[in-house]
Amino acid sequence: MADPMKIRAQMSGDKATVRVLMSHEMETGQRKDASGALVPAWFIQQVTAKHNGKVVMDAQWGPAISKNPYLQFAVKGAKAGDKIAVSWVDNKGESRTDEATVS
């Protein structure tokens, strides 16, 4: 997975709205390829978001999530200039972490 996530974090009142677009194929393990063989399952299992190093969201996902998933959540108490980091781990052990600054 070489493609980065796209993360935007914008202040809205007393909270930051965080939008994340993750680049991942997200195979369920139920689809067949052109030769009729099953395409192995490959999906994001865990997503974690941190606000200035403190975990603010932890989610466990499964194969029902779509390709290139989009995630949006709010962080109360954030301020402009704070750091939001989002990371994921898939069922093959691959991982990705990216960071954005709240604006």
Side-chain angles (χ1 to χ4, degrees), residues 48-100:
T48 304
K50 294 181 179 182
H51 170 232
N52 290 333
K54 179 184 174 193
V55 175
V56 292
M57 192 233 9
D58 191 25
Q60 283 73 45
W61 286 359
I65 304 294
S66 68
K67 176 180 178 178
N68 300 325
Y70 172 81
L71 175 66
Q72 179 175 315
F73 59 95
V75 178
K76 286 187 177 182
K79 297 184 265 336
D82 286 357
K83 301 290 185 190
I84 302 289
V86 178
S87 60
W88 58 254
V89 179
D90 68 19
N91 66 318
K92 292 184 177 181
E94 294 181 32
S95 62
R96 181 77 189 178
T97 301
D98 279 315
E99 189 175 275

